[in-house]
Amino acid sequence: MKELMKVFYERSKIFIFAFIATALGVITFQTEKVMASENESGYKQPVFEKVDNLKDYLQQEENNDGYRNFETQYYADPYWSRYGARTHYNKLNSAEKRLYDGLYGKCEEVLNSTKNCDITGNSYTVGLVTYDGTSISENRAKDIAVIFTIDNPQFFFLNNVFTYGNYNGNTKVITPNVYSDFANGQNRNNAKQAFKAQLDNWYSIANSYPTKLQKLRKLEVLIDESVTYVNTQKDQSAYSAVVEKRSVCSGYSKAYEMLSNAMGIEAACLTSETHQWVTINLREVWYDVDVTWEDDDVNDGVSNSIKYFLRPPFGDREHIVQSLWNGLEPRRTAPTPLWMRIFNSMFYYNRYSDVASVIGNNEAKLFDHFMQFGMKEQRIGESSFNCKIYMQNYPDLRNAFGNNYPLYYEHFLFYGVMEGRNAISLLPRNKITSYGGTNYSAVYDPDYYANNNPDLKKAFGNNDELLIKHFVEFGMREGRYSKQSFNVYSYKNEYPDLRRAFGSNLEKYYRHYIENGERENRHTSGMENKIVGAMTVLDGRNYAVLYDANEYVNKYGDLKKAFGYDEEALLRHFVDYGMKEGRQANTSFNLEIYKSNYADLRKAFGNNNKEYYIHYINYGVNEKRNAQRKI
């Protein structure tokens, strides 16, 4: 145990002021970070104080408006009850549960009241709870009271001292005691608000991650990077870790236990003679977490290691479970650390030089990078799991998780391994080419679609469901390349009848081929750069004698870039702009030669280029005027 007696006297002189100021959010403790050693003894064994004449105290309590009848029924406040553990409670018999419920009811009254606590014997208590001595022995009642306080760290005002005694005959009494600083109702309420505010903050940060593995690791880091290992007056309460940021294993573990339960992850504390830690239920397999031993003496955003995170029972003397948990302790049978199948620090370090160059070969930092960024980026943390392959192999997972990549890692750990799913090699698959009752296989192949559209590859990977959905809802309209044997632009260019029917509506060309074109043996490639039977008539005038759409678009790169092989757009550009600009759209007509050859036309039209084209259409061609070579 760390010896801090040399500073105890100075700390005690300012303790009352520091407590009030902290509860009101006025100041925070600034303490040099202290490392928790593996052999640290921070858990204090409970103390039991026997009090005679408890009937007098009970009579006084029954007449006190602050506490109602001692046969309190358990009506849990849902906000605070979510922080409690029910792992051990569920294994108690009915008489033991009644005692546990009575303790809960009294503590909940104190939590939600601003009444001052009364003194029973020499200590402040939450009020006395009775039990039947013929159903529960005195020693068993003590165990249940201890289990209750460890299971319910939301009752931050409880210390590790208990008052007990006889009431009348076989009726016995036991009660948890209250820290003297929390006996005053207003002080306790102020402390509760500070406690709640920090819990909400940590909860919102940790619970924002999609997987339980990430939530639990982030919570561990938050606690370890906020709390300094120091023996204090309230170090058996979660309050010491959450608000004061100074605690021992009891405070670390209770904070972790309560926030894990609040996030919907079953957690319970266990104790040895000298130490306290947490065990976590993930898919009915229990893993141990020692938040205290993961802490170090530096606040650098990561915990000290991953040795004590979601692993099998520790087995050392500091983790030998006390006898009070006999029959209640979960069966902790995990064979290996949970994360081992998806992460190996040396593998990750050697595979990703970008990470290694920044982090170095620090196991904890590499793991935290993997948790925070690596899974989102589909990085491979261990050779037995490739997220991209796992995702592509199983359509049911893609339907469930979409692009929320960390969920694939978690699924593999919780289900995939047990189900024998393949996460290292691609399985033969039936490609998804149907959507909304229509089979698009004639114009669509998911692999080709992904590989020839980099933005889609980046967004959807090889997720067949998302790719076909995009193709149907957007890809056809956008004229995306979707199958090697089908080019929508070639299909459009080759068939004037389709262009007359569909114009620039590209989606209709895809659908026509599916419904009719394939059956009619229409061609789907080879005409990407040529328009067959391109239109030459616009607004009633035929420009065919001096306009060829293919020559026009292939001669001018700016037009190809702007319009591609859109026959109407090309012709309209020629009529509205091309003739004015003197552009050549057919080898049969060169404006400069036509101008140079005929003085009468120069005299008539001057620099009005368009009029030369119109003259040639209306008269020049019939007059056999020469627009190809100089006369």
Side-chain angles (χ1 to χ4, degrees):
M1 182 186 298
K2 295 193 184 302
E3 295 297 325
L4 297 175
M5 295 304 294
K6 63 182 181 180
V7 297
F8 177 80
Y9 175 73
E10 290 300 319
R11 182 183 298 121
S12 64
K13 289 194 297 183
I14 62 168
F15 177 77
I16 296 174
F17 166 75
F19 161 71
I20 296 172
T22 301
L24 294 174
V26 176
I27 66 170
T28 58
F29 289 96
Q30 298 297 324
T31 307
E32 183 179 351
K33 186 77 170 173
V34 178
M35 183 174 181
S37 130
E38 289 189 0
N39 295 317
E40 205 88 49
S41 298
Y43 172 65
K44 297 181 177 68
Q45 288 294 319
V47 176
F48 296 93
E49 297 177 346
K50 187 168 185 178
V51 176
D52 296 321
N53 302 317
L54 281 173
K55 189 172 183 180
D56 296 337
Y57 289 103
L58 277 171
Q59 184 64 42
Q60 176 185 355
E61 185 175 308
E62 289 172 3
N63 295 329
N64 186 332
D65 291 338
Y67 302 107
R68 292 179 279 281
N69 190 297
F70 61 84
E71 295 289 348
T72 306
Q73 186 151 357
Y74 168 33
Y75 290 108
D77 178 337
Y79 175 83
W80 290 104
S81 63
R82 65 180 181 150
Y83 289 114
R86 286 294 173 266
T87 304
H88 307 121
Y89 175 87
N90 293 331
K91 295 182 179 181
L92 300 176
N93 64 38
S94 57
E96 292 168 340
K97 285 180 178 178
R98 281 195 297 273
L99 173 55
Y100 192 110
D101 290 346
L103 294 168
Y104 197 108
K106 286 294 186 184
C107 289
E108 189 177 46
E109 284 187 21
V110 173
L111 180 67
N112 293 319
S113 169
T114 56
K115 295 284 188 178
N116 296 338
C117 294
D118 291 329
I119 292 178
T120 304
N122 298 317
S123 303
Y124 291 103
T125 72
V126 298
L128 304 182
V129 178
T130 62
Y131 64 94
D132 183 356
T134 63
S135 301
I136 305 175
S137 70
E138 188 170 85
N139 285 337
R140 184 58 174 165
K142 291 177 180 179
D143 285 348
I144 292 168
V146 173
I147 291 167
F148 167 80
T149 60
I150 294 174
D151 277 355
N152 294 282
Q154 67 270 34
F155 301 130
F156 63 90
F157 42 80
L158 301 180
N159 57 30
N160 67 321
V161 182
F162 300 83
T163 295
Y164 75 103
N166 297 319
Y167 170 57
N168 185 16
N170 290 323
T171 302
K172 311 289 185 181
V173 172
I174 194 166
T175 179
N177 290 358
V178 174
Y179 287 110
S180 58
D181 292 315
F182 297 135
N184 178 276
Q186 191 56 56
N187 286 350
R188 186 173 63 252
N189 187 62
N190 291 339
K192 181 175 78 169
Q193 299 310 315
F195 191 50
K196 180 179 182 297
Q198 186 59 66
L199 288 172
D200 288 345
N201 175 254
W202 281 350
Y203 173 89
S204 66
I205 295 171
N207 201 48
S208 66
Y209 288 85
T211 70
K212 292 180 179 180
L213 185 63
Q214 290 170 301
K215 294 176 197 288
L216 290 167
R217 179 59 176 181
K218 186 60 179 179
L219 178 58
E220 183 181 50
V221 171
L222 284 170
I223 294 172
D224 284 348
E225 292 308 293
S226 301
V227 183
T228 296
Y229 191 95
V230 178
N231 291 100
T232 70
Q233 184 193 36
K234 298 191 231 9
D235 60 17
Q236 301 303 290
S237 166
Y239 186 89
S240 61
V242 175
V243 178
E244 296 179 340
K245 306 295 192 296
R246 307 188 312 159
S247 192
V248 295
C249 60
S250 296
Y252 280 77
S253 299
K254 286 179 177 178
Y256 195 79
E257 172 195 33
M258 65 190 302
L259 283 159
S260 297
N261 281 311
M263 293 189 293
I265 304 170
E266 186 178 9
C269 282
L270 293 173
T271 58
S272 67
E273 293 297 322
T274 57
H275 192 54
Q276 186 167 328
W277 69 99
V278 184
T279 188
I280 301 286
N281 180 12
L282 295 169
R283 291 291 304 161
E284 301 307 317
V285 179
W286 290 84
Y287 298 86
D288 285 1
V289 178
D290 196 321
V291 190
T292 316
W293 283 13
E294 292 278 46
D295 197 8
D296 59 15
D297 57 353
V298 179
N299 287 340
D300 55 0
V302 294
S303 289
N304 184 43
S305 75
I306 54 175
K307 284 197 302 183
Y308 307 107
F309 178 65
L310 294 177
R311 52 152 293 156
F314 298 102
D316 58 273
R317 65 182 181 83
E318 295 292 332
H319 293 90
I320 297 174
V321 178
Q322 277 186 285
S323 60
L324 74 91
W325 303 106
N326 289 349
L328 304 179
E329 174 195 355
R331 291 186 66 247
R332 293 141 60 229
T333 57
T336 60
L338 173 66
W339 41 264
M340 186 173 285
R341 291 182 183 273
I342 61 170
F343 181 80
N344 176 282
S345 62
M346 284 305 301
F347 179 92
Y348 199 62
Y349 172 79
N350 290 327
R351 186 177 183 89
Y352 297 108
S353 58
D354 60 324
V355 177
S357 64
V358 176
I359 292 176
N361 193 12
N362 181 305
E363 183 179 49
K365 289 184 178 181
L366 289 167
F367 184 70
D368 287 336
H369 180 276
F370 179 66
M371 289 286 101
Q372 189 167 357
F373 305 107
M375 291 197 289
K376 286 194 298 185
E377 297 166 1
Q378 295 182 283
R379 298 203 186 219
I380 302 172
E382 208 278 330
S383 60
S384 63
F385 183 80
N386 184 311
C387 182
K388 293 179 180 178
I389 290 175
Y390 197 58
M391 182 177 177
Q392 185 166 337
N393 278 348
Y394 300 106
D396 59 326
L397 303 186
R398 296 196 300 270
N399 286 332
F401 307 142
N403 286 339
N404 196 336
Y405 302 129
L407 293 177
Y408 293 88
Y409 294 81
E410 183 169 79
H411 181 275
F412 181 70
L413 291 176
F414 291 169
Y415 305 97
V417 173
M418 179 179 60
E419 295 169 1
R421 298 213 188 204
N422 187 331
I424 57 175
S425 59
L426 288 174
L427 301 175
R429 83 185 199 279
N430 294 321
K431 297 178 181 180
I432 297 175
T433 58
S434 294
Y435 187 84
T438 299
N439 187 341
Y440 293 91
S441 60
V443 297
Y444 173 82
D445 176 85
D447 293 337
Y448 186 88
Y449 192 56
N451 292 331
N452 286 275
N453 294 280
D455 59 327
L456 305 185
K457 182 79 169 180
K458 182 178 181 180
F460 307 132
N462 291 308
N463 188 322
D464 281 9
E465 291 82 4
L466 295 179
L467 287 167
I468 185 68
K469 184 176 188 292
H470 181 276
F471 173 69
V472 173
E473 296 181 359
F474 304 101
M476 292 190 291
R477 281 197 320 236
E478 297 168 1
R480 299 259 188 169
Y481 296 113
S482 55
K483 189 173 183 178
Q484 186 172 11
S485 61
F486 181 84
N487 186 298
V488 70
Y489 300 101
S490 178
Y491 194 57
K492 177 188 175 189
N493 288 349
E494 186 164 353
Y495 297 105
D497 60 325
L498 302 186
R499 296 198 301 274
R500 303 298 178 264
F502 307 141
S504 297
N505 190 329
L506 295 176
E507 181 177 348
K508 291 187 176 181
Y509 293 89
Y510 292 92
R511 295 194 180 279
H512 178 273
Y513 186 73
I514 294 168
E515 296 166 7
N516 301 291
E518 186 177 29
R519 176 170 44 83
E520 296 168 359
N521 293 318
R522 296 214 187 205
H523 303 147
T524 58
S525 62
M527 289 294 174
E528 293 84 358
N529 299 314
K530 184 177 180 180
I531 307 172
V532 176
M535 65 184 292
T536 58
V537 178
L538 185 66
D539 299 333
R541 175 174 279 139
N542 192 335
Y543 296 89
V545 295
L546 50 66
Y547 173 82
D548 180 283
N550 293 302
E551 289 190 42
Y552 193 52
V553 70
N554 289 326
K555 186 176 182 67
Y556 298 106
D558 60 329
L559 302 184
K560 182 178 285 190
K561 183 177 181 181
F563 308 124
Y565 287 85
D566 185 325
E567 62 177 346
E568 183 176 353
L570 289 167
L571 180 55
R572 188 162 295 281
H573 179 275
F574 175 71
V575 171
D576 292 344
Y577 304 101
M579 291 189 292
K580 292 178 186 177
E581 297 168 2
R583 298 211 192 207
Q584 185 173 1
N586 192 312
T587 55
S588 65
F589 183 87
N590 182 296
L591 174 64
E592 295 305 319
I593 291 175
Y594 198 51
K595 276 186 180 183
S596 175
N597 283 347
Y598 301 105
D600 59 329
L601 300 185
R602 293 196 301 274
K603 183 177 180 180
F605 306 139
N607 291 325
N608 190 337
N609 289 343
K610 186 171 184 178
E611 290 300 324
Y612 292 90
Y613 291 86
I614 301 302
H615 179 274
Y616 186 75
I617 294 169
N618 292 338
Y619 307 104
V621 68
N622 290 331
E623 295 171 357
K624 301 192 184 305
R625 296 206 187 209
N626 193 328
Q628 292 180 282
R629 63 183 182 280
K630 288 187 177 182
I631 301 172

